[in-house]
Amino acid sequence: MGNFIANEGLSIFVILVWLGINAYLFVEFYMRFLVQKWFYTRVLLGHALPWARAPAACLNFNCMLILLPVCRNLLSFLRGSIQCCSRTAARQLDRNITFHKLVAYMIAFHTAVHIVAHLFNFEYFMDAQLNRNSSLLTFVLSEIGNGDNASFLNPIRSNETNPTIVMFTTIAGLTGVAITLALILIITSSMEVIRRSYFEVFWYTHHLFVIFFIGLVFHGFGRIVRGQTNKDLLVHNSTLCADRFEEWGQPGSNCTVPVFAGNPPMTWKWVVAPMFLYLCERLVRLYRSHQKVVITKVVMHPSKTLELQMKRKGFHMEVGQYVFIQCPSVSRLEWHPFTLTSAPEEDYFSAHIRIVGDWTQALYEACGGDSNEPQEAWKMPKVAIDGPFGTASEDVFRYEVVMLVGAGIGVTPFASILKSVWYKRIQNNQEVFTKKIYFYWLCPETQAFEWFADLLQSLEGQMAERDVTDFLSYNIYLTRWKEAEAAHFRVHHEAENDPITGLKQKTLYGKPNWDNEFTNIASKHPGTKVGVFLCGPPQLGKSLEKQCMSHSEDDVKFIFNKENF
């Protein structure tokens, strides 16, 4: 229980506060539209009025939040600022995309409630105009303002129209349709199956947020939802006059014709600050994109993995960080995230890019990947770099004992860590707190081992030379294999080096028994906090998180960290 609180306590607190604010705003604004000011509006619309206005307030709040988790430079600044004070608080910033998604789901929910309520509202407005009976209060209220068209209550001014026409001829209607369409496209294209298979669709439709926010700001300028003015409330008491509407404005009557006005637009007050912060974020990205980046070396690894080694003036990185890469010759609009695989101690920064889609294939070809001839330096494509940005892996050296778990190409953050810890060991850096690293790599195919095995072979050889094999234990697992491959493995199993990786450490087959692994590590390192770092699929993350909670005792605690970008 204590480890669960250490891992998830602050996250749960943040989510509960966020949900609490949403609940408070909903109830508060629902009650606000039950007061006397809105009595006549409710005569026309009933409780559909507060059901439309309450989610609108929640929408304002969540639209204020939605941009903040994607302000990467702001988050990196905050992470660096609070990391020295609270590691737990800094870890919450690594879950920015998760919170971004939660806020998006909340926006979708409140949008749906808001739309349904307004559909009822427009039907009620239309019914009040169609039922032209002067003995009905709803009709009398709908006729107010026909002369000067200033103090009207019903925005549908004629019985010769319909809600559809009003929807496409008013500011609120047009912006509402634009907002809804943009939101539907953004959310549907964000589904994992589309995002992974058609990233360009996800990327381009996500930029409809510009239309969404423009429509959001102007949505309330039509002032369709109207109530009695504060001045009119002093002279016209709806409680006394509602049943005497035939006398309104008549000589000798105490009941004047009520005067109505729309609420001033409020949304811009909620979103102007985050929109300004996001604009600054984009300006920083634009500035960085124009800084010169030089590709110093291109390495074509097996299994179609491209390694770019680059330099940029003033570039400083930490282990486990990532950058966004743009190649103008491939696409001027697309930026893709890649983990840095170089160490801070090296005089360049590098990224390993697996060729899995149109953009990576085009970059591969631009770098000469499909050519047998070496690519000349001046023919290298121009690239732009945004970053680096922090991740959970930055905290790796804050733990005395570390478990690194990578799945497939998810091993890339740990290349930087393993390189850096080796440099620190050979330089006798006394400031290194980490004393032991357990590294696990799970791959579904033998080809995936090829590029990273080179690094492990180098580390293995250098550790043996310096007799420092104690600080790193690594286990490589092949999770799927063909029958022909299995026969080859059996024949060469007794060889000195592993037939797949060429390492002294033999490849294991199947999946790790995590219960045994955690039990073994806990028994070897009593009284320590073990940092567990994962870059892999969500299913593996859930399994490891469960193991962290079940194996944490008073004398040893496993702290779970997951890469999330």
Side-chain angles (χ1 to χ4, degrees):
M1 184 64 181
N3 190 69
F4 175 78
I5 294 174
N7 272 320
E8 305 296 337
L10 186 56
S11 294
I12 293 173
F13 175 75
V14 170
I15 295 301
L16 289 177
V17 169
W18 170 65
L19 290 174
I21 294 174
N22 273 280
Y24 167 77
L25 288 173
F26 193 96
V27 173
E28 169 68 19
F29 277 81
Y30 190 97
M31 299 303 294
R32 282 190 187 184
F33 284 84
L34 297 180
V35 298
Q36 189 176 8
K37 175 182 176 71
W38 304 98
F39 175 82
Y40 288 124
T41 317
R42 292 197 307 276
V43 168
L44 288 180
L45 307 178
H47 282 277
L49 171 65
W51 274 104
R53 301 313 304 159
C58 295
L59 277 171
N60 288 338
F61 171 63
N62 286 284
C63 289
M64 177 185 73
L65 297 177
I66 191 72
L67 290 176
L68 299 180
V70 291
C71 291
R72 299 191 294 261
N73 291 286
L74 174 64
L75 293 181
S76 289
F77 171 76
L78 292 176
R79 197 179 197 286
S81 300
I82 67 176
Q83 194 169 24
C84 58
C85 305
S86 173
R87 188 189 308 170
T88 303
R91 276 209 310 274
Q92 306 315 307
L93 297 177
D94 298 325
R95 301 178 180 182
N96 59 317
I97 300 301
T98 300
F99 186 65
H100 177 73
K101 291 177 181 178
L102 288 175
V103 174
Y105 295 147
M106 188 65 79
I107 288 175
F109 170 74
H110 286 299
T111 298
V113 176
H114 184 71
I115 290 172
V116 170
H118 269 318
L119 288 176
F120 279 101
N121 287 337
F122 271 95
E123 285 300 321
Y124 292 144
F125 278 138
M126 194 70 234
D127 289 345
Q129 279 288 7
L130 291 176
N131 201 352
R132 305 187 68 79
N133 187 339
S134 59
S135 65
L136 295 176
L137 176 58
T138 53
F139 174 71
V140 173
L141 290 171
S142 297
E143 289 295 292
I144 293 175
N146 274 346
D148 56 11
N149 205 31
S151 62
F152 66 89
L153 178 61
N154 190 337
I156 298 181
R157 308 305 301 140
S158 167
N159 64 343
E160 298 177 357
T161 184
N162 60 68
T164 304
I165 293 176
V166 174
M167 187 180 300
F168 289 97
T169 55
T170 61
I171 294 175
L174 285 171
T175 56
V177 170
I179 290 169
T180 304
L181 290 177
L183 186 63
I184 290 172
L185 289 172
I186 290 172
I187 291 177
T188 53
S189 66
S190 299
M191 297 170 61
E192 187 169 357
V193 63
I194 295 178
R195 185 166 51 85
R196 293 194 177 277
S197 302
Y198 307 98
F199 184 83
E200 291 82 2
V201 175
F202 159 77
W203 180 261
Y204 290 125
T205 54
H206 238 62
H207 284 78
L208 291 173
F209 81 93
V210 177
I211 294 175
F212 178 87
F213 272 92
I214 292 175
L216 191 69
V217 168
F218 287 99
H219 185 58
F221 275 73
R223 304 192 182 193
I224 281 184
V225 178
R226 305 169 71 83
Q228 268 186 279
T229 63
N230 292 330
K231 184 177 179 180
D232 188 58
L233 287 171
L234 300 176
V235 297
H236 182 103
N237 188 327
S238 58
T239 305
L240 300 176
C241 296
D243 295 329
R244 300 163 56 190
F245 59 89
E246 297 92 345
E247 303 174 11
W248 288 356
Q250 297 297 323
S253 173
N254 293 326
C255 295
T256 59
V257 177
V259 178
F260 302 100
N263 267 354
M266 300 293 292
T267 300
W268 68 271
K269 295 181 180 180
W270 289 83
V271 300
V272 66
M275 288 174 69
F276 175 76
L277 285 174
Y278 189 77
L279 177 62
C280 294
E281 167 81 15
R282 296 308 293 245
L283 291 175
V284 171
R285 295 185 195 178
L286 181 65
Y287 168 74
R288 283 180 168 175
S289 68
H290 285 83
Q291 290 182 300
K292 185 178 181 181
V293 177
V294 178
I295 300 177
T296 58
K297 188 177 181 180
V298 176
V299 182
M300 305 297 177
H301 292 282
S303 67
K304 294 199 77 173
T305 298
L306 174 70
E307 179 185 356
L308 295 181
Q309 295 183 8
M310 299 162 281
K311 290 185 177 182
R312 188 183 77 184
K313 185 178 179 181
F315 188 92
H316 301 288
M317 63 164 287
E318 298 294 336
V319 294
Q321 291 187 325
Y322 68 98
V323 295
F324 278 78
I325 299 179
Q326 179 211 43
C327 182
S329 63
V330 175
S331 172
R332 291 190 173 274
L333 297 177
E334 291 184 47
W335 292 79
H336 293 262
F338 295 98
T339 305
L340 293 171
T341 53
S342 53
E345 292 81 2
E346 293 175 313
D347 63 352
Y348 64 89
F349 63 97
S350 65
H352 284 68
I353 302 169
R354 188 181 175 194
I355 313 306
V356 292
D358 295 339
W359 188 89
T360 51
Q361 179 63 37
L363 179 65
Y364 180 78
E365 294 172 0
C367 293
D370 56 348
S371 175
N372 295 325
E373 299 294 327
Q375 185 85 324
E376 297 182 29
W378 62 275
K379 290 184 178 180
M380 288 293 175
K382 179 183 176 183
V383 295
I385 299 294
D386 184 23
F389 302 106
T391 66
S393 294
E394 283 187 68
D395 296 335
V396 69
F397 294 133
R398 293 175 177 266
Y399 296 93
E400 187 174 350
V401 180
V402 174
M403 286 180 66
L404 306 178
V405 183
I409 198 66
V411 76
T412 49
F414 307 136
S416 175
I417 293 170
L418 293 176
K419 284 182 182 180
S420 183
V421 76
W422 173 249
Y423 280 121
K424 294 179 189 303
R425 289 298 293 259
I426 63 177
Q427 293 169 3
N428 294 318
N429 190 333
Q430 301 300 318
E431 296 180 0
V432 180
F433 182 61
T434 305
K435 299 296 187 291
K436 181 67 176 180
I437 294 178
Y438 293 91
F439 173 57
Y440 299 85
W441 187 15
L442 289 65
C443 275
E445 54 186 17
T446 57
Q447 291 81 2
F449 290 114
E450 292 168 333
W451 74 267
F452 196 72
D454 295 340
L455 170 61
L456 291 178
Q457 286 177 16
S458 175
L459 284 175
E460 190 178 62
Q462 293 179 61
M463 286 190 300
E465 285 179 15
R466 297 174 179 268
D467 194 25
V468 288
T469 56
D470 58 321
F471 89 96
L472 174 64
S473 296
Y474 55 94
N475 294 289
I476 300 176
Y477 290 83
L478 181 64
T479 56
R480 290 200 300 265
W481 57 87
K482 299 177 182 177
E483 193 61 38
E485 292 175 331
H488 175 73
F489 301 153
R490 284 194 294 269
V491 170
H492 295 87
H493 183 70
E494 299 301 326
E496 181 180 359
N497 293 341
D498 184 75
I500 301 177
T501 63
L503 297 166
K504 302 289 184 183
Q505 174 74 31
K506 296 300 177 64
T507 298
L508 303 172
Y509 303 98
K511 297 180 180 179
N513 185 325
W514 291 116
D515 187 61
N516 289 346
E517 297 296 332
F518 275 78
T519 300
N520 182 45
I521 292 173
S523 65
K524 290 182 178 179
H525 305 281
T528 61
K529 282 188 177 181
V530 181
V532 181
F533 293 83
L534 166 70
C535 188
Q539 297 86 346
L540 180 57
K542 292 177 181 178
S543 176
L544 291 178
E545 194 166 10
K546 183 178 179 182
Q547 292 292 337
C548 286
M549 288 187 285
S550 63
H551 284 84
S552 290
E553 302 169 357
D554 292 337
D555 59 338
V556 61
K557 293 187 183 298
F558 290 89
I559 309 298
F560 181 70
N561 303 266
K562 187 181 186 301
E563 295 295 322
N564 188 17
F565 62 88

